[in-house]
Amino acid sequence: MFRVRFHGRGGQGVKTASRVLGTALFHAGFEVQDAPRYGAERRGAPIFAYVRADRQPIFERGVIVRPDLVVVVDDTLLTLPAAAVLQGIAPHTLLLVHSAQPAEALRAKLKAPGQLVTIAPREVAATGLQPQGAMMTVGAAARLLGVVPRQALESAAGEELAALPAKLRQRSLALTLDGFDGVEAPGGPVRELPAEPAEDYDRPRWIALPFEDARIASPTIYGAGTSMLSKTGLWRVQRPVIDRERCRRCVWVCGTYCPDNAIAADAGGYPVIDYDHCKGCMICLVNCPSHAIAAVVESQAREAAAAGDAP
Amino acid sequence: MTRTLLTGNAAAAWGARLAEADYVPAFPITPQTEIIELLAEWMQRGAMAGRIVMLESEHSMLTAAGAAAATGVRVFTATSSQGLLYAMEMLYTVAGWRVPLVLVNVSRGLAAPITLEPDHNDVLAVRDSGFLQFHCATCQEALDGVLLAYRLAEDARVRLPVMVNMDGFYLSFTREPVRLPEPEQVRRFLPPFDPETLYFRAGAPRSQGVAVLGGAQYSYFRYEAHLASLGALRVFEEAAAEFARLFGRSYAPLETFHTADAEFAFVMLGAFATKAKQAVLRLREAGWRIGLVRPRLLRPFPAQALVEALGGLRGIAVIDQNLSTGMGGVLCSEIGAALLRAGARPVVAGYVGGLGGRDIPVEEFFEMARETKAAAEAGRCPPTRLLYTEEELRQTRALQAIAMAE
Ligand code: SF4
Ligand code: SF4
């Protein structure tokens, strides 16, 4: 059985990409199971999807813990522990990353035990979400599996993208095929892991839950302000940047509109954005009367910050 | 008959479409929403006749569903979890009216704490409502189950509403290959609904669900519904036989997998049962004589078939994806009672697992098999075990520390 796990951000087309691969494998004669994993996440939050394909009916269900192929649509997730991109990867696991960074450097940085292939992004969309990246990456994923004919991929993408306007559909389709044509598997196609034998398995470390009284065992958060620990800033693909020249210090405007309460006034009355919690929704930008807020693609803002430039 | 990839939600919607449901009262709730979105879209662009109406709650939705069914139209509706509980009062009421309709429940754990992921406490909470219950393990079953459910509900010998249950996420959002039957063939299996005495109209007033005091009449009506439910087992078998002739897929009230020569079996409901199948195949490769038994029909309860399938085994592991607080697993006690009354005594190991969508990995099935065998050798039923690991408690402790629950 092939087990493929997709990682990306909400809004990047990960679900569509996983469905394109699922349908392509189905057209190639496989039994298929695919599913996105939703939670309470929002746009920009790390999400994942998975595809299983086999020559016989698939009985396994749920999250893939031992993937054969991991497809990463957004390379900023690689270093995000919450995205759990590297979970369960083994020496046989092939990592496919949509990234401008060289494969060898990435592999060394991640200490990936297996092969790593990159597919370079064409352009970075102003929205920072690069939905076209998902299409190119899924094309590459189909190629790396070594069992999906180009024709099957093409018809699958045609089906799954049928609801898109014609122009966008054509472009997405072309990118999918570019992805297919643009990679080569380094050590041959993706390898399937043999089934775990029932004589020799990791025994679960079950425990008997101890009784605890309701002060502990009720789902209550006693601590105040714990939502501060949830860094919603990691969801951000666009960063709001305030231009002090234009700002008229009416913080009650942007500060009130911000749904995450991430804007506060400094001593001089200027707005300061808490980038740990600003999720990049751009509601402040839309509502700023002086057009003092600009949207900067997050990855570029980070690079600039790393290079020492102020964002 | 085309074979295509569909989510469980889409498969259920296709069931309603192919059944040519006339009326769909609806209210959205995760993870059921896709079902009513699809039906609304089809009706809007004329791909499906009939009407969909958004109600202001599940309670009203079920009231509308029952009332419409009383006028003799074919009714479909769907909900999940809290929505099902909100409709609870009307579930009993419309079942008591003895009107046929099909409700798809997409299982999701109940609050509190809040979750979106599945277990079966929602559908089991309404176990005694009078609705028959068909439990799906695949997306194909979600479609076929809806068709079978209409045959059952509308049969004059039954005339009770039917609930078709599927697991949220593991089926609702998961695509699998599904055979879409041809509409012509479905019409042969499920002809237009003949409502017979169901013709509630403004011009033909009648009183429905009347008050009866003293208990004698109450007992009569309730027990008649019970008898109709019991008789539905037979009706289901007839319908399933015809279904198999027309569509080539067989649905016994009880699915049995590798049980012919088995000494041991897993017993469970729903989509996680396919995981048990995977474990069965692997264990068999390792020399085990083990199988799986999965009730498709839970109401009526296929007691006799269960006794036949399980009575002669050395040990069974009943895995309940539900928890009756203060008692344990619901399925385990129902199966235990059926075996006891039949005088059959395999060792029963009860497990509670998969609550709130908690995964059950294949190794845990291996371990349950091992424990069940050890219990059979010792000749003692072990206490119920919650599938829960040291690591999970460690994670819970870490969150409790943040929550300052100490
Ligand atoms: S709304 Fe615009 S102008 Fe006013 S404080 Fe905020 S950024 Fe400055
Ligand atoms: S983009 Fe603006 S409004 Fe949105 S969370 Fe960030 S600071 Fe708040």
Side-chain angles (χ1 to χ4, degrees):
Chain A
M1 188 193 314
F2 286 110
R3 298 175 177 88
V4 185
R5 205 171 65 207
F6 283 77
H7 293 268
R9 291 178 182 273
Q12 269 175 338
V14 173
K15 175 179 166 187
T16 307
S18 65
R19 284 193 168 194
V20 168
L21 186 66
T23 301
L25 283 157
F26 186 60
H27 287 329
F30 283 83
E31 294 297 302
V32 169
Q33 181 199 79
D34 64 37
R37 194 64 170 191
Y38 307 113
E41 299 91 353
R42 295 291 175 267
R43 197 175 169 80
I47 57 155
F48 66 96
Y50 50 85
V51 180
R52 290 186 171 89
D54 205 349
R55 293 152 197 90
Q56 56 226 8
I58 297 171
F59 293 141
E60 195 174 282
R61 290 190 180 281
V63 174
I64 289 175
V65 282
R66 293 183 196 86
D68 305 313
L69 172 63
V70 171
V71 183
V72 186
V73 172
D74 185 321
D75 65 353
T76 61
L77 295 175
L78 289 169
T79 46
L80 215 71
V85 172
L86 301 178
Q87 195 173 58
I89 63 166
H92 87 289
T93 311
L94 181 63
L95 269 168
L96 167 66
V97 187
H98 180 237
S99 176
Q101 303 177 56
E104 261 322 301
L106 259 185
R107 183 164 176 255
K109 193 158 93 188
L110 298 171
K111 301 193 181 70
Q115 301 277 4
L116 188 149
V117 187
T118 54
I119 179 149
R122 286 293 165 79
E123 70 213 64
V124 176
T127 59
L129 271 173
Q130 323 170 14
Q132 83 283 14
M135 299 320 295
M136 230 161 66
T137 317
V138 74
R143 175 64 171 273
L144 294 174
L145 286 174
V147 294
V148 179
R150 198 173 187 273
Q151 177 54 41
L153 177 67
E154 190 172 357
S155 64
E159 271 172 50
E160 296 302 329
L161 303 170
L164 292 183
K167 224 175 129 187
L168 188 57
R169 188 174 65 236
Q170 284 313 323
R171 206 170 108 70
S172 301
L173 195 60
L175 282 166
T176 308
L177 295 173
D178 281 0
F180 188 86
D181 298 333
V183 289
E184 211 61 71
V190 172
R191 273 174 299 147
E192 302 162 74
L193 203 63
E196 198 186 1
E199 306 95 351
D200 177 25
Y201 59 95
D202 286 341
R203 286 180 65 184
R205 298 163 79 92
W206 286 332
I207 47 153
L209 268 189
F211 165 80
E212 287 168 346
D213 74 41
R215 282 170 298 180
I216 293 174
S218 63
T220 307
I221 298 175
Y222 297 95
T226 52
S227 57
M228 290 297 283
L229 298 171
S230 178
K231 300 267 194 274
T232 44
L234 299 174
W235 302 1
R236 195 172 56 238
V237 290
Q238 278 184 304
R239 176 183 294 210
V241 176
I242 293 167
D243 176 356
R244 286 205 172 205
E245 307 271 291
R246 287 190 177 202
C247 177
R248 288 198 304 231
R249 292 189 280 176
C250 48
V251 182
W252 59 90
V253 178
C254 54
T256 305
Y257 274 108
C258 173
D260 280 47
N261 209 7
I263 305 179
D266 68 7
Y270 283 100
V272 179
I273 298 177
D274 166 10
Y275 287 120
D276 277 348
H277 298 96
C278 157
K279 62 189 178 189
C281 65
M282 295 302 146
I283 289 174
C284 53
L285 179 147
V286 172
N287 289 288
C288 170
S290 341
H291 306 288
I293 305 179
V296 179
V297 173
E298 180 64 21
S299 53
Q300 291 170 358
R302 273 177 212 268
E303 276 162 33
D309 308 341
Chain B
M1 207 186 285
T2 40
R3 194 159 181 267
T4 182
L5 289 175
L6 290 181
T7 59
N9 277 341
W14 266 103
R17 174 168 165 175
L18 288 165
E20 298 178 339
D22 300 302
Y23 178 64
V24 182
F27 190 84
I29 179 170
T30 300
Q32 152 269 33
T33 311
E34 185 188 5
I35 299 177
I36 58 175
E37 278 174 354
L38 270 172
L39 292 173
E41 187 206 314
W42 289 336
M43 288 185 186
Q44 194 180 20
R45 64 176 164 87
M48 180 177 175
R51 281 188 64 181
I52 184 163
V53 178
M54 285 306 146
L55 276 298
E56 83 283 4
S57 74
E58 287 87 355
H59 188 279
S60 307
M61 176 183 100
L62 248 292
T63 310
T71 69
V73 299
R74 188 169 278 162
V75 178
F76 177 83
T77 189
T79 188
S80 172
S81 186
Q82 308 299 125
L84 188 67
L85 259 59
Y86 195 28
M88 176 96 133
E89 178 187 9
M90 291 313 295
L91 295 177
Y92 276 75
T93 301
V94 303
W97 291 352
R98 301 294 303 270
V99 293
L101 61 93
V102 174
L103 180 153
V104 168
N105 183 62
V106 186
S107 264
R108 161 181 154 187
L110 295 169
I114 298 170
T115 185
L116 300 173
E117 294 174 89
D119 65 38
H120 299 148
N121 260 85
D122 57 354
V123 65
L124 292 177
V126 302
R127 183 188 60 172
D128 307 329
S129 63
F131 272 65
L132 310 186
Q133 288 197 4
F134 181 92
H135 288 249
C136 305
T138 63
C139 295
Q140 183 74 61
E141 276 192 354
L143 191 162
D144 294 346
V146 170
L147 301 179
L148 284 160
Y150 276 111
R151 270 288 293 262
L152 209 51
E154 292 172 2
D155 192 291
R157 293 165 290 176
V158 179
R159 230 175 68 182
L160 281 166
V162 182
M163 195 169 294
V164 174
N165 193 70
M166 75 165 117
D167 298 82
F169 289 76
Y170 289 88
L171 289 186
S172 71
F173 299 149
T174 300
R175 294 200 311 173
E176 292 178 347
V178 173
R179 277 185 205 285
L180 276 181
E182 295 301 330
E184 267 315 305
Q185 252 183 321
V186 174
R187 264 177 228 129
R188 221 172 306 154
F189 176 72
L190 188 65
F193 176 34
D194 174 7
E196 297 182 334
T197 56
L198 290 168
Y199 52 79
F200 193 86
R201 298 274 184 287
R206 47 169 65 181
S207 300
Q208 194 160 272
V210 294
V212 285
L213 298 181
Q217 286 71 46
Y218 185 85
S219 306
Y220 168 82
F221 291 121
R222 297 303 299 181
Y223 210 78
E224 282 299 323
H226 170 61
L227 294 175
S229 182
L230 289 177
L233 261 181
R234 186 60 166 292
V235 178
F236 180 84
E237 278 165 359
E238 287 172 24
E242 197 183 328
F243 193 94
R245 265 199 308 281
L246 281 166
F247 303 105
R249 292 186 292 281
S250 307
Y251 292 110
L254 200 65
E255 180 186 22
T256 51
F257 182 75
H258 287 286
T259 49
D261 67 340
E263 295 177 296
F264 301 98
F266 298 114
V267 186
M268 61 194 306
L269 289 170
F272 273 25
T274 64
K275 288 166 161 280
K277 284 187 177 179
Q278 177 200 13
V280 163
L281 294 178
R282 303 265 198 87
L283 285 161
R284 283 195 161 257
E285 281 165 22
W288 282 73
R289 297 204 316 206
I290 190 163
L292 163 76
V293 169
R294 174 178 70 92
R296 286 193 180 95
L297 280 186
L298 191 71
R299 286 294 180 273
F301 189 64
Q304 199 190 328
L306 277 163
V307 169
E308 280 163 21
L310 302 173
L313 303 190
R314 288 177 58 199
I316 61 175
V318 184
I319 305 156
D320 269 288
Q321 210 177 345
N322 68 79
L323 180 59
S324 174
T325 320
M327 191 278 289
V330 171
L331 191 60
C332 190
S333 60
E334 294 207 339
I335 285 174
L339 291 171
L340 190 67
R341 293 173 78 171
R345 296 297 298 270
V347 164
V348 179
Y351 293 91
V352 170
L355 298 183
R358 189 265 194 197
D359 197 13
I360 305 182
V362 72
E363 304 84 51
E364 292 200 332
F365 284 98
F366 298 160
E367 188 72 359
M368 285 187 274
R370 204 188 59 77
E371 277 194 351
T372 304
K373 186 176 179 194
E377 274 156 12
R380 268 196 310 273
C381 297
T384 298
R385 180 194 274 292
L386 173 72
L387 301 183
Y388 206 80
T389 62
E390 227 171 63
E391 171 60 14
E392 287 176 298
L393 184 59
R394 203 189 56 72
Q395 290 168 6
T396 302
R397 292 282 185 246
L399 292 172
Q400 281 176 322
I402 293 171
M404 295 185 176
E406 56 213 340

